[in-house]
Structure formats: C-alpha cells, structure tokens
Amino acid sequence: MAALKTANPDFEQFVRGMVLSMPAARHLGFEFGRIAPGEVEIIQSYRKELTQHDGFIQGGVLGSLADFAGGCAAGTLLQPGWVNMTIDYTVKILAPAKGEKIVARGRVVKAGPIMTIAAADVYSVDGTGETLCATAFVTMRNIKAFKA
C-alpha cells in the first residue's frame, strides 16, 4: 500500500493536542507511540482500575482505545482547520487482554472529504510478546472546526 499524504504539516502536534485536551483521554492516561500519516499507535499501561473482576482489561476500555486509535489515524489526514468525530465503531473482542500494557494501532482504510473509515487492532503486551485481543472498524465524520 502506498504511503498516505497529509495536507497538514503539523498533523502530529494537532492529533496529540486534540486528544490530550479531552478529559476522557486524560482519564484513561494513555500515551502516543508512532504517529504517521494515516497511522497512530496508542499505548495504555496496565492499571487495575481499568479491569474486570478477573484482572483482564474491561471490554469498554478496549473499545475506547480502538476508537481513539482509529479516530487519531483519520485525524492525521485532516485539512488544517478541520476536526473529526466518531459516528460509528464496531469492536470484536478476540482474546482476554492482560499484560504490562495494551497497544492500539489505528490505520486509515479509506479517507474521504466527509467521512473517513479506519481500522484498529488492539494488542495485550507482556514479556512474551503481543496477543491480538480486539479488532475494530471506526467511521469518522470530518467537519470544519468552528470557533466558540
């Protein structure tokens, strides 16, 4: 697949700034790994308060990570002065998620002027490697930013 191009030379700073200004993202406490045009990696350290009773990361947290990763990947391709918002996402949980960290890797599948479709794979990571624990499709609506 050919490398995607972005119209925003400050796409990395834009994505980090937009996401880290969101209270939900700050609450989850994740960090960014790789950010490239059409691709984003989000890293969530293991925290007990994000787990179910058995110590596995709760499914809603996996869905949130997939949503953020897919949405951020789409955000790297936005024109300056535009933002995006999730209109739909579907997550399939494939395996329990428990490890030192959870890594969500989002990528753009099809970019458009109004909507962008992205996918995200979520992995649990421990000392033995990575395990694919969820996969998702994320649909983002691109909108011209407005000033309040």
Side-chain angles (χ1 to χ4, degrees):
M1 184 163 106
L4 296 173
K5 296 189 189 307
T6 181
N8 186 349
D10 297 322
F11 70 91
E12 186 174 347
Q13 180 180 351
F14 168 74
V15 167
R16 282 181 196 274
M18 283 298 295
V19 171
L20 296 178
S21 72
M22 294 180 197
R26 286 194 312 273
H27 174 74
L28 287 170
F30 57 65
E31 300 174 7
F32 283 94
R34 182 172 186 268
I35 301 177
E39 299 178 20
V40 169
E41 181 180 76
I42 294 177
I43 302 162
Q44 172 69 65
S45 295
Y46 181 86
R47 292 185 5 230
K48 185 172 174 52
E49 63 269 25
L50 301 178
T51 66
Q52 306 178 79
H53 55 83
D54 55 9
F56 295 115
I57 300 294
Q58 199 274 335
V61 174
L62 298 178
S64 292
L65 289 167
D67 176 31
F68 272 109
C72 288
T76 66
L77 301 181
L78 290 171
Q79 297 281 335
W82 285 70
V83 296
N84 61 8
M85 301 174 83
T86 304
I87 59 173
D88 179 70
Y89 73 94
T90 302
V91 178
K92 301 297 181 193
I93 297 175
L94 307 171
K98 186 174 186 178
E100 301 158 12
K101 60 186 173 182
I102 307 299
V103 176
R105 294 187 183 108
R107 66 193 176 288
V108 169
V109 174
K110 173 85 171 140
I114 304 296
M115 287 192 307
T116 299
I117 309 299
D121 293 320
V122 182
Y123 299 86
S124 58
V125 181
D126 62 19
T128 64
E130 296 182 345
T131 300
L132 179 64
C133 55
T135 191
F137 278 108
V138 182
T139 305
M140 302 300 291
R141 171 76 163 94
N142 307 325
I143 56 175
K144 186 126 177 84
F146 56 90
K147 295 183 180 179

PDB file of all heavy atoms in Angstrom, residues 69-91:
ATOM      1  N   ALA A  69      -7.646   5.207  18.585  1.00  0.00           N
ATOM      2  CA  ALA A  69      -6.584   4.907  17.609  1.00  0.00           C
ATOM      3  C   ALA A  69      -7.074   5.105  16.181  1.00  0.00           C
ATOM      4  O   ALA A  69      -6.379   5.713  15.356  1.00  0.00           O
ATOM      5  CB  ALA A  69      -6.069   3.479  17.819  1.00  0.00           C
ATOM      6  N   GLY A  70      -8.267   4.598  15.877  1.00  0.00           N
ATOM      7  CA  GLY A  70      -8.816   4.785  14.532  1.00  0.00           C
ATOM      8  C   GLY A  70      -9.109   6.244  14.238  1.00  0.00           C
ATOM      9  O   GLY A  70      -8.790   6.757  13.160  1.00  0.00           O
ATOM     10  N   GLY A  71      -9.708   6.935  15.205  1.00  0.00           N
ATOM     11  CA  GLY A  71     -10.013   8.350  15.021  1.00  0.00           C
ATOM     12  C   GLY A  71      -8.770   9.210  14.863  1.00  0.00           C
ATOM     13  O   GLY A  71      -8.741  10.135  14.050  1.00  0.00           O
ATOM     14  N   CYS A  72      -7.744   8.891  15.628  1.00  0.00           N
ATOM     15  CA  CYS A  72      -6.479   9.637  15.512  1.00  0.00           C
ATOM     16  C   CYS A  72      -5.818   9.389  14.166  1.00  0.00           C
ATOM     17  O   CYS A  72      -5.265  10.307  13.553  1.00  0.00           O
ATOM     18  CB  CYS A  72      -5.537   9.259  16.640  1.00  0.00           C
ATOM     19  SG  CYS A  72      -6.026   9.891  18.243  1.00  0.00           S
ATOM     20  N   ALA A  73      -5.848   8.138  13.703  1.00  0.00           N
ATOM     21  CA  ALA A  73      -5.285   7.835  12.384  1.00  0.00           C
ATOM     22  C   ALA A  73      -5.990   8.675  11.325  1.00  0.00           C
ATOM     23  O   ALA A  73      -5.345   9.277  10.453  1.00  0.00           O
ATOM     24  CB  ALA A  73      -5.408   6.343  12.082  1.00  0.00           C
ATOM     25  N   ALA A  74      -7.322   8.735  11.409  1.00  0.00           N
ATOM     26  CA  ALA A  74      -8.088   9.562  10.472  1.00  0.00           C
ATOM     27  C   ALA A  74      -7.726  11.037  10.635  1.00  0.00           C
ATOM     28  O   ALA A  74      -7.618  11.777   9.646  1.00  0.00           O
ATOM     29  CB  ALA A  74      -9.583   9.340  10.690  1.00  0.00           C
ATOM     30  N   GLY A  75      -7.523  11.470  11.866  1.00  0.00           N
ATOM     31  CA  GLY A  75      -7.190  12.862  12.138  1.00  0.00           C
ATOM     32  C   GLY A  75      -5.878  13.323  11.531  1.00  0.00           C
ATOM     33  O   GLY A  75      -5.711  14.505  11.238  1.00  0.00           O
ATOM     34  N   THR A  76      -4.966  12.406  11.316  1.00  0.00           N
ATOM     35  CA  THR A  76      -3.677  12.796  10.712  1.00  0.00           C
ATOM     36  C   THR A  76      -3.842  13.266   9.275  1.00  0.00           C
ATOM     37  O   THR A  76      -2.956  13.930   8.745  1.00  0.00           O
ATOM     38  CB  THR A  76      -2.657  11.633  10.734  1.00  0.00           C
ATOM     39  OG1 THR A  76      -3.127  10.580   9.888  1.00  0.00           O
ATOM     40  CG2 THR A  76      -2.390  11.141  12.141  1.00  0.00           C
ATOM     41  N   LEU A  77      -4.951  12.914   8.639  1.00  0.00           N
ATOM     42  CA  LEU A  77      -5.164  13.259   7.228  1.00  0.00           C
ATOM     43  C   LEU A  77      -6.090  14.453   7.032  1.00  0.00           C
ATOM     44  O   LEU A  77      -6.363  14.841   5.889  1.00  0.00           O
ATOM     45  CB  LEU A  77      -5.725  12.046   6.472  1.00  0.00           C
ATOM     46  CG  LEU A  77      -4.854  10.794   6.499  1.00  0.00           C
ATOM     47  CD1 LEU A  77      -5.510   9.680   5.692  1.00  0.00           C
ATOM     48  CD2 LEU A  77      -3.449  11.078   5.990  1.00  0.00           C
ATOM     49  N   LEU A  78      -6.561  15.046   8.120  1.00  0.00           N
ATOM     50  CA  LEU A  78      -7.478  16.181   8.002  1.00  0.00           C
ATOM     51  C   LEU A  78      -6.783  17.416   7.450  1.00  0.00           C
ATOM     52  O   LEU A  78      -5.597  17.652   7.721  1.00  0.00           O
ATOM     53  CB  LEU A  78      -8.081  16.514   9.364  1.00  0.00           C
ATOM     54  CG  LEU A  78      -9.068  15.510   9.934  1.00  0.00           C
ATOM     55  CD1 LEU A  78      -9.396  15.886  11.381  1.00  0.00           C
ATOM     56  CD2 LEU A  78     -10.329  15.432   9.088  1.00  0.00           C
ATOM     57  N   GLN A  79      -7.557  18.223   6.734  1.00  0.00           N
ATOM     58  CA  GLN A  79      -7.086  19.532   6.295  1.00  0.00           C
ATOM     59  C   GLN A  79      -6.922  20.418   7.531  1.00  0.00           C
ATOM     60  O   GLN A  79      -7.673  20.266   8.504  1.00  0.00           O
ATOM     61  CB  GLN A  79      -8.125  20.179   5.374  1.00  0.00           C
ATOM     62  CG  GLN A  79      -8.394  19.440   4.100  1.00  0.00           C
ATOM     63  CD  GLN A  79      -7.316  19.686   3.061  1.00  0.00           C
ATOM     64  OE1 GLN A  79      -6.632  20.708   3.085  1.00  0.00           O
ATOM     65  NE2 GLN A  79      -7.147  18.740   2.165  1.00  0.00           N
ATOM     66  N   PRO A  80      -5.982  21.356   7.526  1.00  0.00           N
ATOM     67  CA  PRO A  80      -5.909  22.301   8.640  1.00  0.00           C
ATOM     68  C   PRO A  80      -7.263  23.000   8.804  1.00  0.00           C
ATOM     69  O   PRO A  80      -7.926  23.332   7.820  1.00  0.00           O
ATOM     70  CB  PRO A  80      -4.825  23.289   8.204  1.00  0.00           C
ATOM     71  CG  PRO A  80      -3.959  22.487   7.271  1.00  0.00           C
ATOM     72  CD  PRO A  80      -4.917  21.584   6.536  1.00  0.00           C
ATOM     73  N   GLY A  81      -7.694  23.188  10.056  1.00  0.00           N
ATOM     74  CA  GLY A  81      -8.976  23.828  10.322  1.00  0.00           C
ATOM     75  C   GLY A  81     -10.148  22.864  10.376  1.00  0.00           C
ATOM     76  O   GLY A  81     -11.292  23.283  10.528  1.00  0.00           O
ATOM     77  N   TRP A  82      -9.876  21.567  10.263  1.00  0.00           N
ATOM     78  CA  TRP A  82     -10.922  20.550  10.325  1.00  0.00           C
ATOM     79  C   TRP A  82     -10.683  19.661  11.542  1.00  0.00           C
ATOM     80  O   TRP A  82      -9.551  19.525  12.012  1.00  0.00           O
ATOM     81  CB  TRP A  82     -10.921  19.693   9.062  1.00  0.00           C
ATOM     82  CG  TRP A  82     -11.506  20.408   7.876  1.00  0.00           C
ATOM     83  CD1 TRP A  82     -10.957  21.461   7.197  1.00  0.00           C
ATOM     84  CD2 TRP A  82     -12.755  20.137   7.241  1.00  0.00           C
ATOM     85  NE1 TRP A  82     -11.782  21.852   6.194  1.00  0.00           N
ATOM     86  CE2 TRP A  82     -12.891  21.056   6.179  1.00  0.00           C
ATOM     87  CE3 TRP A  82     -13.753  19.208   7.465  1.00  0.00           C
ATOM     88  CZ2 TRP A  82     -14.012  21.074   5.353  1.00  0.00           C
ATOM     89  CZ3 TRP A  82     -14.860  19.203   6.630  1.00  0.00           C
ATOM     90  CH2 TRP A  82     -14.986  20.136   5.595  1.00  0.00           C
ATOM     91  N   VAL A  83     -11.755  19.055  12.048  1.00  0.00           N
ATOM     92  CA  VAL A  83     -11.696  18.083  13.133  1.00  0.00           C
ATOM     93  C   VAL A  83     -12.549  16.880  12.728  1.00  0.00           C
ATOM     94  O   VAL A  83     -13.241  16.925  11.711  1.00  0.00           O
ATOM     95  CB  VAL A  83     -12.198  18.682  14.474  1.00  0.00           C
ATOM     96  CG1 VAL A  83     -11.295  19.811  14.939  1.00  0.00           C
ATOM     97  CG2 VAL A  83     -13.639  19.143  14.363  1.00  0.00           C
ATOM     98  N   ASN A  84     -12.495  15.828  13.521  1.00  0.00           N
ATOM     99  CA  ASN A  84     -13.360  14.681  13.231  1.00  0.00           C
ATOM    100  C   ASN A  84     -14.014  14.179  14.507  1.00  0.00           C
ATOM    101  O   ASN A  84     -13.552  14.463  15.606  1.00  0.00           O
ATOM    102  CB  ASN A  84     -12.602  13.567  12.495  1.00  0.00           C
ATOM    103  CG  ASN A  84     -11.448  12.988  13.275  1.00  0.00           C
ATOM    104  OD1 ASN A  84     -11.240  13.274  14.436  1.00  0.00           O
ATOM    105  ND2 ASN A  84     -10.671  12.151  12.626  1.00  0.00           N
ATOM    106  N   MET A  85     -15.118  13.466  14.303  1.00  0.00           N
ATOM    107  CA  MET A  85     -15.872  12.910  15.425  1.00  0.00           C
ATOM    108  C   MET A  85     -16.335  11.514  15.037  1.00  0.00           C
ATOM    109  O   MET A  85     -16.695  11.271  13.886  1.00  0.00           O
ATOM    110  CB  MET A  85     -17.078  13.785  15.743  1.00  0.00           C
ATOM    111  CG  MET A  85     -16.712  15.215  16.101  1.00  0.00           C
ATOM    112  SD  MET A  85     -18.153  16.253  16.313  1.00  0.00           S
ATOM    113  CE  MET A  85     -18.549  15.826  17.996  1.00  0.00           C
ATOM    114  N   THR A  86     -16.335  10.614  15.997  1.00  0.00           N
ATOM    115  CA  THR A  86     -16.792   9.249  15.740  1.00  0.00           C
ATOM    116  C   THR A  86     -18.298   9.253  15.490  1.00  0.00           C
ATOM    117  O   THR A  86     -19.057   9.836  16.257  1.00  0.00           O
ATOM    118  CB  THR A  86     -16.498   8.353  16.953  1.00  0.00           C
ATOM    119  OG1 THR A  86     -15.109   8.410  17.244  1.00  0.00           O
ATOM    120  CG2 THR A  86     -16.916   6.913  16.703  1.00  0.00           C
ATOM    121  N   ILE A  87     -18.711   8.571  14.415  1.00  0.00           N
ATOM    122  CA  ILE A  87     -20.146   8.374  14.204  1.00  0.00           C
ATOM    123  C   ILE A  87     -20.529   6.904  14.371  1.00  0.00           C
ATOM    124  O   ILE A  87     -21.692   6.586  14.563  1.00  0.00           O
ATOM    125  CB  ILE A  87     -20.640   8.921  12.849  1.00  0.00           C
ATOM    126  CG1 ILE A  87     -19.933   8.287  11.667  1.00  0.00           C
ATOM    127  CG2 ILE A  87     -20.497  10.426  12.820  1.00  0.00           C
ATOM    128  CD1 ILE A  87     -20.510   8.680  10.326  1.00  0.00           C
ATOM    129  N   ASP A  88     -19.533   6.021  14.322  1.00  0.00           N
ATOM    130  CA  ASP A  88     -19.832   4.603  14.478  1.00  0.00           C
ATOM    131  C   ASP A  88     -18.534   3.845  14.694  1.00  0.00           C
ATOM    132  O   ASP A  88     -17.515   4.190  14.119  1.00  0.00           O
ATOM    133  CB  ASP A  88     -20.524   4.089  13.206  1.00  0.00           C
ATOM    134  CG  ASP A  88     -20.858   2.620  13.278  1.00  0.00           C
ATOM    135  OD1 ASP A  88     -21.749   2.224  14.037  1.00  0.00           O
ATOM    136  OD2 ASP A  88     -20.196   1.842  12.558  1.00  0.00           O
ATOM    137  N   TYR A  89     -18.590   2.828  15.535  1.00  0.00           N
ATOM    138  CA  TYR A  89     -17.480   1.879  15.582  1.00  0.00           C
ATOM    139  C   TYR A  89     -17.987   0.531  16.030  1.00  0.00           C
ATOM    140  O   TYR A  89     -18.952   0.419  16.771  1.00  0.00           O
ATOM    141  CB  TYR A  89     -16.289   2.374  16.406  1.00  0.00           C
ATOM    142  CG  TYR A  89     -16.415   2.418  17.903  1.00  0.00           C
ATOM    143  CD1 TYR A  89     -15.980   1.358  18.690  1.00  0.00           C
ATOM    144  CD2 TYR A  89     -16.912   3.547  18.540  1.00  0.00           C
ATOM    145  CE1 TYR A  89     -16.048   1.424  20.079  1.00  0.00           C
ATOM    146  CE2 TYR A  89     -16.984   3.613  19.921  1.00  0.00           C
ATOM    147  CZ  TYR A  89     -16.558   2.549  20.681  1.00  0.00           C
ATOM    148  OH  TYR A  89     -16.625   2.603  22.053  1.00  0.00           O
ATOM    149  N   THR A  90     -17.328  -0.502  15.510  1.00  0.00           N
ATOM    150  CA  THR A  90     -17.663  -1.881  15.828  1.00  0.00           C
ATOM    151  C   THR A  90     -16.407  -2.571  16.313  1.00  0.00           C
ATOM    152  O   THR A  90     -15.375  -2.516  15.637  1.00  0.00           O
ATOM    153  CB  THR A  90     -18.200  -2.620  14.581  1.00  0.00           C
ATOM    154  OG1 THR A  90     -19.334  -1.916  14.094  1.00  0.00           O
ATOM    155  CG2 THR A  90     -18.578  -4.046  14.903  1.00  0.00           C
ATOM    156  N   VAL A  91     -16.496  -3.200  17.468  1.00  0.00           N
ATOM    157  CA  VAL A  91     -15.339  -3.869  18.058  1.00  0.00           C
ATOM    158  C   VAL A  91     -15.647  -5.354  18.213  1.00  0.00           C
ATOM    159  O   VAL A  91     -16.726  -5.716  18.685  1.00  0.00           O
ATOM    160  CB  VAL A  91     -14.995  -3.284  19.443  1.00  0.00           C
ATOM    161  CG1 VAL A  91     -13.817  -4.014  20.077  1.00  0.00           C
ATOM    162  CG2 VAL A  91     -14.717  -1.811  19.353  1.00  0.00           C
TER     163      VAL A  91
END
